[in-house]
């Protein structure tokens, strides 16, 4: 028995065993791995590797005779690569056993055989014989990397199409553009179960990252494990040559580091009822990236930056924050083009690493929960940053394109669409969602490009898509908020359509935005506005208004201030109105009209049944200079919060959020208002002209339900007037209950501080029943009846 040190080498070139293990090499049977090589002279060489005593390994090498072939002459010698020591193979069936004392595993042993005449014997590929040491067959579950407390690692990768898979290990600090420190070619007879390739290593000490080569395009650059929890930087890789076209490529590796431990302490999810949500949508980077945020460079534009601004959400009255996609994404294409579903964007961590982003995000969620705020994530599972015209391969596109993507192109779509309802993609999505709920304590998800989640393997629409049904009834995900958003970053469509929901799925209400914009522009039927005010019964009749997530502006398209400042021919689809002058203006009449319209948009958003969503920056006049392109958005300017205009707007938002909470009997409902609790009027209590396109005035009388258990503060009726005319309109208030008076709480035409009532002296805002009230042009008015005025004060 010879004692040798193991030189590092590549295991590429191993032929997987096709027969039982060597007979003559007396290695222990427990934990033994066996390999059979075909030689360049049509012989065979059997190698058995087993763990020895004291943490070392023994490697047995045997050259059995082939039936009918002449027996080899004596004098076979084994020469390990990098060693001058030679080991003779003795016996009628030449064999030898090598011993490696306490060698670090995994490593590879590379050797040649020399016959008695000095001629070298190699593999049928003319390469040295090479075997991995400290490598086992592994387990097919769970997918991804699993690390045990003892340091052992199991790797499992789904690929139905790969003809071969190579696990590439890189040293600490190694990257996708460098050469692997160790490559292990997986044996389809030993390291594959079904379509899952798997391998185990006794230890990964000394290695920092890993990737997989999957036999495509000449065993190209290593691909990112779709299930990796900690990943490295995205770096340029060797270009791909596909059908005579050279395409750029990127590479990213999974980290072998254990995800950072985290102490959640007594973290408790707010678990707010759906109907009580008031949502603020934000982009993590743009929210605090500007120097005006007053945050250090390593905090600005990160999860920690969002945490630092929690008081901003609280002061406005928001109890939920909807974050634009935070999964690892292509920085050129933007957050709506992810390339990984299990780790947060590394640039959102203070140190710019995956590990720091994980910790910073958990800190943010924990702080939000401590302040009663839920964290919702926009997620994109319909397409990735891979594929498309540039042929880019980072992860699943190169691992198993045919399993993860819809094979046929969808009309009008240039991007590769994920086959979300195939079993493998569905499992990937479900595992990802559970990961964010269990490991990050996320409270819900908004699914971007939701119509594509309904498509089948050929792009057809499914009446009962298995993915959506699985999400609706999953024991983990069923406790979260799940919202479908029809908006498509691919530019395909943004149209509301019948969505399978099982009374679990809520939806972004695109019709709300369109109809409210058109009404305030003076181009909608008042019946359309009435439908939106009452919770969009045409869309949510069998679910309830709490499933309607209402918004006026969103992260694509015009911001709120731009909606009232730009309306050129290129913006026809935005239903915007510049109020008399295009772009920035110094005309006081135009500016006052714009301010009034901004108040109207916010007012209608908050007094409509459903869940209000305010887009980042709309509280402080954030502008993209009339551009609808997502790429033209700029960071939030926090200095604007000190201007008188923004103080008015933010104060108004805070007031309306408090009003929704105080009058939850009307504005926070899971069911629609009863017909007997609503009456509609035109001028002076006349009947509304529902189908008259010239009618632009509507009054809504909401009659509160009488309940002896209801607090006095929530018993009064509401009377709300909406005027989109260029001229004032006269509203006659109906008679309130006996002993009650009407209090004017909001009139968007008035100057601050009179346009909304936050002070305690409400007597100056009293209006008697059957009194006529002039509702100014382009304004909204809200009255509330109160029986016991002193108690209300």
């Amino acid at each position: 028995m010879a004692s040798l040190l193991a030189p590092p080498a590549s295991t590429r070139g191993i032929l997987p065993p096709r027969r039982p293990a060597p007979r003559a090499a007396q290695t222990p049977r427990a934990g033994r791995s066996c390999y059979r090589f075909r030689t360049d002279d049509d012989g065979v060489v059997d190698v058995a590797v087993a763990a020895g005593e004291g943490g070392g390994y023994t490697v047995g090498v045997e050259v059995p005779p082939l039936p009918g072939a002449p027996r080899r002459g004596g004098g076979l010698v084994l020469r390990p690569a990098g060693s001058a020591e030679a080991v003779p193979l003795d016996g009628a069936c030449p064999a030898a056993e090598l011993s490696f004392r306490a060698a670090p595993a995994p490593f590879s042993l590379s050797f040649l055989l020399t016959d008695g005449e000095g001629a070298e014997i190699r593999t049928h590929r003319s390469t040295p014989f090479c075997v991995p040491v400290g490598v086992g067959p592994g387990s097919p579950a769970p997918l991804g990397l699993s690390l045990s407390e003892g340091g052992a690692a199991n790797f499992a990768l789904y690929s139905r199409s790969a003809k071969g898979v190579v696990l590439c290990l890189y040293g600490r600090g190694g990257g996708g553009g460098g050469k692997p420190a160790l490559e292990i070619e997986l044996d389809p007879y030993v390291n594959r179960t079904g379509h899952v390739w798997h391998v185990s290593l006794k230890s990964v000490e000394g290695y920092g990252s890993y990737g997989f080569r999957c036999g495509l395009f000449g065993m190209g650059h290593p691909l990112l494990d779709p299930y990796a929890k900690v990943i490295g930087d995205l770096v340029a890789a060797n270009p791909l040559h596909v059908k005579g076209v050279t395409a750029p490529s990127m590479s990213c590796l999974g980290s072998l580091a254990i995800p950072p431990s985290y102490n959640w302490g007594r973290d408790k999810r707010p678990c707010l009822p759906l109907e009580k949500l008031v949502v603020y949508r934000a982009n993590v980077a743009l929210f605090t990236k500007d120097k005006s945020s007053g945050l250090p460079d390593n905090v600005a534009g990160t999860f920690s930056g969002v945490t630092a601004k929690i008081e901003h959400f609280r002061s406005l009255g928001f109890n939920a924050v909807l974050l634009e996609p935070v999964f690892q994404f292509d920085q050129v294409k933007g957050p709506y083009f992810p390339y990984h579903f299990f780790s947060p964007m590394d640039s959102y961590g203070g140190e710019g690493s995956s590990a720091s982003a994980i910790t910073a995000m958990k800190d943010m969620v924990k702080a939000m929960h401590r302040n009663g705020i839920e964290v919702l994530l926009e997620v994109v599972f319909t397409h990735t940053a891979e594929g498309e015209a540039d042929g880019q391969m980072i992860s699943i596109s190169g691992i198993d394109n045919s399993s993860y993507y819809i094979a046929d192109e969808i009309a009008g779509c240039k991007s590769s669409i994920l086959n979300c309802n195939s079993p493998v993609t569905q499992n990937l999505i479900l595992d990802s969602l559970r990961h964010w709920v269990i490991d990050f304590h996320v409270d819900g998800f908004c699914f971007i490009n939701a119509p594509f989640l309904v498509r089948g393997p050929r792009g057809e629409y499914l009446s009962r898509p298995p993915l959506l049904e699985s999400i609706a009834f999953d024991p983990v995900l069923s406790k979260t908020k799940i919202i479908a958003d029809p908006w498509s970053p691919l530019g395909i469509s943004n149209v509301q359509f019948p969505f399978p929901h099982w009374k679990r799925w809520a939806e972004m209400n695109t019709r709300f935005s369109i109809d409210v914009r058109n009404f305030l522009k003076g181009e909608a039927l008042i019946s359309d506005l009435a439908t939106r005010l009452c919770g969009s019964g045409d869309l949510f009749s069998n679910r309830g208004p709490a499933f309607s997530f209402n918004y006026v502006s969103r992260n694509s398209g015009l911001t709120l201030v731009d909606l009232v400042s730009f309306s050129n021919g290129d913006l026809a689809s935005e239903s915007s109105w510049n109020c008399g002058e295009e772009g920035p203006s110094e005309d006081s009449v135009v500016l006052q009209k714009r301010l009034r319209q901004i108040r109207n948009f916010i007012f209608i958003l908050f007094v409509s049944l459903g869940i209000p969503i305010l887009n980042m920056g709309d509280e402080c006049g954030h502008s993209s200079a009339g551009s609808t392109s997502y790429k033209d958005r700029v960071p939030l300017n926090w200095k604007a919060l000190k201007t008188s205009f923004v103080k008015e707007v933010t104060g108004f938002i805070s007031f309306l959020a408090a009003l929704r909470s105080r009058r939850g009997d009307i504005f926070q409902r899971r069911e629609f208002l009863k017909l007997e609790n609503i009456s509609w009027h035109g001028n002076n209590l006349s009947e509304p002209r529902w189908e008259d396109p010239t009618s632009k005035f509507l009054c809504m009388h909401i009659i509160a339900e009488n309940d002896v258990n209801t607090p006095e503060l929530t018993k009064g009726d509401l009377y709300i007037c909406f005027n989109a005319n260029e001229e004032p309109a006269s509203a006659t208030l109906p008679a309130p209950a006996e002993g009650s008076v009407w209090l004017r709480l909001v009139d968007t035409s008035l100057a601050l501080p009179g346009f909304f009532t936050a002070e305690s002296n409400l007597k100056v805002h009293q209006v008697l029943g059957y009194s006529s009230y002039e509702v100014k042009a382009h304004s909204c008015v809200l009255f509330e009846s109160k029986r016991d005025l002193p108690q209300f004060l």
Side-chain angles (χ1 to χ4, degrees), residues 316-591:
L316 292 174
F318 291 99
N319 56 20
V321 174
L322 174 61
L323 297 179
E324 292 181 25
V326 302
F327 296 177
Q328 295 277 358
F329 59 83
D330 187 310
Q331 296 195 42
V332 175
K333 297 177 181 178
Y336 292 96
F337 291 86
Y339 61 84
H340 191 59
F341 299 141
F342 285 86
S343 59
M345 188 65 182
D346 49 15
S347 63
Y348 290 171
E351 300 174 6
S353 67
S354 182
S356 69
I358 291 172
T359 300
M361 183 174 176
K362 291 179 178 180
D363 285 342
M364 178 196 69
V365 173
K366 186 176 180 180
M368 291 282 195
H369 288 176
R370 192 164 54 244
N371 285 275
I373 301 174
E374 293 196 340
V375 178
L376 312 176
L377 299 182
E378 285 189 341
V379 291
V380 180
F381 288 116
T382 57
H383 60 277
T384 67
E386 300 183 86
E388 301 183 45
D390 57 12
Q392 183 168 254
M393 287 188 180
I394 303 171
S395 184
I396 58 176
S397 180
I399 290 171
D400 195 351
N401 186 81
S402 62
S403 292
Y404 285 104
Y405 289 90
I406 291 176
D408 300 327
E409 291 186 3
I410 294 177
C413 182
K414 298 179 181 179
S415 296
S416 300
I417 300 300
L418 284 171
N419 188 2
C420 297
N421 288 292
S422 73
V424 58
T425 312
Q426 177 180 329
N427 288 337
L428 177 71
I429 294 172
L430 291 173
D431 288 342
S432 170
L433 294 171
R434 295 187 195 108
H435 170 68
W436 293 101
V437 174
I438 296 172
D439 286 10
F440 286 83
H441 292 202
V442 166
D443 301 288
F445 305 93
C446 177
F447 294 77
I448 300 298
N449 204 22
F452 281 74
L453 296 174
V454 184
R455 291 186 182 260
R458 293 176 298 278
E460 75 279 15
Y461 283 99
L462 305 175
S463 60
R464 192 167 182 171
L467 172 64
L468 302 185
E469 186 171 7
S470 296
I471 292 172
F473 297 103
D474 184 87
V476 173
L477 304 178
S478 61
K479 299 177 182 178
T480 68
K481 277 79 177 177
I482 50 176
I483 311 153
D485 190 343
W487 176 73
S488 170
L490 305 175
I492 303 302
S493 66
N494 187 16
V495 180
Q496 210 85 28
F497 76 106
F499 195 82
H501 54 78
W502 298 275
K503 293 188 177 181
R504 279 283 299 120
W505 282 85
E507 294 181 51
M508 288 288 178
N509 192 342
T510 303
R511 289 300 315 174
F512 181 92
S513 175
I514 295 172
D515 289 342
V516 172
R517 290 184 186 191
N518 286 333
F519 172 78
L520 291 179
K521 189 181 178 181
E523 297 181 353
L525 293 173
I526 57 175
S527 57
D528 293 334
L529 175 66
T531 301
R532 304 307 152 216
L533 291 169
C534 292
S536 299
D538 58 334
L539 303 174
F540 300 95
S541 60
N542 56 358
R543 278 177 282 179
F547 290 87
S548 172
F549 278 65
N550 303 329
Y551 66 92
V552 170
S553 66
R554 60 172 305 136
N555 44 11
S556 62
L558 294 177
T559 67
L560 180 55
V561 76
D562 287 351
L563 272 176
V564 301
S565 305
F566 298 89
S567 56
N568 59 63
D570 295 333
L571 299 175
S573 63
E574 292 291 312
S575 299
S576 58
W577 177 41
N578 63 19
C579 297
E581 183 177 345
E582 188 72 6
S585 174
E586 295 183 359
D587 187 317
S588 61
V589 175
V590 172
L591 293 176

Side-chain angles (χ1 to χ4, degrees), residues 577-612:
W577 177 41
N578 63 19
C579 297
E581 183 177 345
E582 188 72 6
S585 174
E586 295 183 359
D587 187 317
S588 61
V589 175
V590 172
L591 293 176
Q592 285 301 316
K593 191 175 293 185
R594 289 177 179 177
L595 176 58
R596 190 179 300 182
Q597 287 289 78
I598 288 173
R599 293 172 178 174
N600 292 338
F601 274 120
I602 295 173
F603 177 76
I604 294 176
L605 178 65
F606 277 81
V607 299
S608 299
L609 270 67
I611 311 305

